[in-house]
């Protein structure tokens, strides 16, 4: 069984920084992409950032572009999200997700980590 485990969430004032981590445990997993999503209270889960191991590329939502940076270790199926210049609108539960190589969609999800940004 595969588990994705996030860590690094917490409370921060606007303008501050946090770094989230996501590690994979359990049986070996080959992923083509890994990503971060977030869900604020009353909102749907939304895409934040993704890394594509195959093309070695990253992409971001417009709301975080220029402030957040995704990185990772393909061999370990681990990803990180450096969040700078945090805003109250970034308050949400952040989830990491993994897409299995050769399959469509996000097959694996973590349990989420809370990020709270106060003004």
């Amino acid at each position: 069984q595969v588990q994705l485990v996030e860590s690094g969430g917490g409370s921060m004032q606007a303008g501050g920084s946090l770094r989230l981590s996501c590690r994979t445990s359990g049986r070996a997993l080959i992923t083509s992409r890994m990503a971060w999503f977030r869900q604020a209270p009353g909102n749907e889960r939304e895409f934040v950032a993704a890394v594509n191991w195959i093309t070695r590329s990253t992409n971001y939502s417009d709301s975080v572009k220029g402030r957040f940076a995704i990185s990772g270790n393909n061999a370990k199926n681990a990803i990180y999200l450096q969040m700078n210049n945090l805003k109250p609108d970034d308050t949400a539960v952040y989830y990491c997700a993994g897409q299995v190589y050769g399959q469509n969609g996000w097959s694996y999800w973590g349990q989420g980590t809370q990020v709270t940004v106060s003004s």
Side-chain angles (χ1 to χ4, degrees):
Q1 187 168 350
V2 175
Q3 285 187 318
L4 302 183
V5 181
E6 303 96 337
S7 61
S11 297
M12 179 60 63
Q13 287 191 328
S17 299
L18 282 173
R19 185 173 187 257
L20 304 183
S21 299
C22 173
R23 62 175 178 85
T24 304
S25 64
R27 63 175 176 85
L29 179 68
I30 299 175
T31 58
S32 56
R33 293 194 301 163
M34 294 187 72
W36 289 98
F37 290 77
R38 67 186 182 186
Q39 187 168 18
N43 292 352
E44 295 185 352
R45 190 172 298 187
E46 65 174 4
F47 169 79
V48 175
V51 57
N52 187 317
W53 305 126
I54 309 302
T55 62
R56 299 186 180 183
S57 62
T58 58
N59 63 303
Y60 299 88
S61 68
D62 288 342
S63 62
V64 306
K65 197 173 296 183
R67 299 188 297 121
F68 290 10
I70 188 171
S71 61
N73 185 319
N74 186 6
K76 296 182 178 180
N77 282 318
I79 56 172
Y80 312 95
L81 187 67
Q82 178 65 43
M83 305 185 294
N84 299 324
N85 191 20
L86 284 162
K87 302 176 180 180
D89 284 349
D90 295 320
T91 295
V93 177
Y94 284 72
Y95 300 89
C96 71
Q99 181 177 28
V100 176
Y101 181 78
Q103 298 182 9
N104 295 321
W106 302 99
S107 300
Y108 295 98
W109 292 87
Q111 82 290 348
T113 185
Q114 176 71 46
V115 172
T116 303
V117 184
S118 57
S119 58

